[in-house]
Amino acid sequence: MDIDFLLWLQSIRTEYLTSLALFISDLIPYMKFPAIFIYWCINKKKGLFVLVSFGLSYFINGLLKGIFCVYRPFLRDPRLIPLDKESGYSFPSGHAMLVTPLLGGYAVLCRKKTQIISWIMGLLIILMILSRLYIGVHTPQDVIIGTLLSLLILYVVAKIFAFIERRPESEKFFLLGGLIACIAAFVYLYFKSYPVDYDSAGKILVKPDSARASTIGNIGNLAGILIGFYIDKKFIKFSYKSVNFRGVLLAIIGIAFYYYFANSYIEDALKILCPSTYRKFMRYFIESIFIVVIWPAVIKLCTRK
């Protein structure tokens, strides 16, 4: 039934719908920017809520992909012609599990003040999910389960934050538990065996080394956020009194630098310094450290009176 639905979507493709679907699908790298901006210059706690939800969702996504090792639908049925050659495993959808905690997190933060923003965020989540089906790189189960899991993660993280607010002394236990989970998942995904199957032409469907690097890489984001949070709390102690022009300007500069730095220098340096198995993990880890530690330290230094 899933394949039949994807084949039907494939049959109604038009040039306009294809351009729109690819555009929406490619928006995912930029959807993190509002969370970074919120963390740096509007409300540190609210920004951290979205970033932790995002990191935990990405962590769970990599773990489940490594556990189930489900091939992409176009690898399972040659009649499907994907519009974007995605690598790695299919279940659950990474896009669904990334966009939901981000846009869903923004919706949660805005629900009491501006409900229209919450509705817009919900619509964007639906459009992102539909774009992945239309492109032909996921089945309905991939995106539905991914979205539901991320909504559950948003709920759990909200409860954890509320619990920590009531009992601040519990914060270190959640932090330690998260780091232990990252280490355990890293070890499991590194040493587990990945399937080796071939298509009719004798080409391997998903290379084990590539799969291992991808699933392990998802852990780097959460690990960087947790370690960065500890470093900030212990040494940087980043905070701000109110939104001001200098802080907003520094946040905009930081986001621009983050995007350029991540896509240029980090990527190039890791290709030289880091084995491919750990490259994705290290990239996301460094990016999280930049967001939670490095640039907040710059902001604090530049706004100090």
Side-chain angles (χ1 to χ4, degrees):
M1 182 179 292
D2 288 340
I3 298 298
D4 290 337
F5 178 70
L6 294 181
L7 287 170
W8 174 77
L9 285 177
Q10 183 172 284
S11 71
I12 64 169
R13 286 175 180 170
T14 65
E15 185 177 348
Y16 172 76
L17 287 176
T18 296
S19 298
L20 181 61
L22 291 172
F23 172 76
I24 293 172
S25 183
D26 289 341
L27 286 177
I28 190 70
Y30 309 101
M31 292 182 179
K32 194 176 177 181
F33 291 168
I36 300 171
F37 187 83
I38 292 169
Y39 183 85
W40 284 345
C41 71
I42 296 179
N43 189 306
K44 180 181 178 180
K45 181 181 175 182
K46 290 181 178 180
L48 186 64
F49 164 71
V50 178
L51 290 172
V52 170
S53 299
F54 171 84
L56 182 58
S57 188
Y58 208 14
F59 167 83
I60 296 295
N61 178 260
L63 183 60
L64 292 179
K65 282 188 173 182
I67 290 173
F68 293 105
C69 299
V70 177
Y71 294 131
R72 298 277 178 180
F74 56 83
L75 294 177
R76 308 201 308 260
D77 193 315
R79 292 176 298 171
L80 286 170
I81 303 173
L83 298 174
D84 188 8
K85 280 286 187 179
E86 292 281 359
S87 59
Y89 297 122
S90 182
F91 177 85
S93 166
H95 273 63
M97 291 197 70
L98 295 183
V99 73
T100 303
L102 289 174
L103 299 184
Y106 304 146
V108 169
L109 297 180
C110 296
R111 70 186 187 280
K112 293 182 179 180
K113 294 183 178 181
T114 314
Q115 286 194 349
I116 185 64
I117 294 180
S118 297
W119 286 105
I120 292 173
M121 295 299 103
L123 176 61
L124 287 174
I125 292 173
I126 293 172
L127 290 175
M128 177 63 74
I129 290 171
L130 291 175
S131 75
R132 302 304 285 170
L133 297 174
Y134 180 89
I135 291 170
V137 293
H138 283 294
T139 64
Q141 284 100 323
D142 294 341
V143 296
I144 291 172
I145 297 300
T147 302
L148 292 177
L149 281 172
S150 289
L151 289 174
L152 177 61
I153 288 168
L154 267 177
Y155 175 80
V156 170
V157 173
K159 290 297 182 182
I160 290 174
F161 271 56
F163 184 82
I164 291 174
E165 189 170 1
R166 294 193 305 270
R167 301 181 61 180
E169 71 279 2
S170 66
E171 184 177 75
K172 58 180 176 291
F173 297 107
F174 284 106
L175 180 62
L176 180 61
L179 290 173
I180 291 174
C182 287
I183 294 170
F186 188 99
V187 172
Y188 168 73
L189 293 172
Y190 182 83
F191 287 104
K192 81 173 294 284
S193 60
Y194 293 84
V196 179
D197 297 302
Y198 300 86
D199 62 16
S200 58
K203 182 180 179 181
I204 191 167
L205 295 180
V206 177
K207 296 179 181 179
D209 288 345
S210 175
R212 182 177 290 107
S214 180
T215 55
I216 286 175
N218 288 19
I219 302 171
N221 194 283
L222 181 61
I225 291 172
L226 295 175
I227 293 175
F229 173 78
Y230 175 80
I231 295 172
D232 173 67
K233 194 174 183 66
K234 193 78 173 176
F235 304 104
I236 309 299
K237 298 175 181 167
F238 171 65
S239 64
Y240 38 73
K241 302 297 181 183
S242 61
V243 180
N244 57 73
F245 175 77
R246 185 185 296 180
V248 171
L249 180 61
L250 285 168
I252 293 173
I253 293 172
I255 288 174
F257 181 73
Y258 162 80
Y259 181 76
Y260 178 75
F261 184 69
N263 286 280
S264 298
Y265 291 106
I266 291 181
E267 193 72 26
D268 292 341
L270 290 178
K271 286 180 181 178
I272 299 172
L273 301 174
C274 190
S276 59
T277 303
Y278 315 111
R279 197 171 294 156
K280 184 179 177 183
F281 174 92
M282 289 305 303
R283 172 175 175 170
Y284 291 150
F285 180 85
I286 293 169
E287 287 181 17
S288 293
I289 292 295
F290 177 84
I291 293 168
V292 181
V293 177
I294 297 174
W295 202 254
V298 172
I299 293 175
K300 183 176 181 180
L301 180 65
C302 293
T303 56
R304 186 173 57 188
K305 294 183 180 180

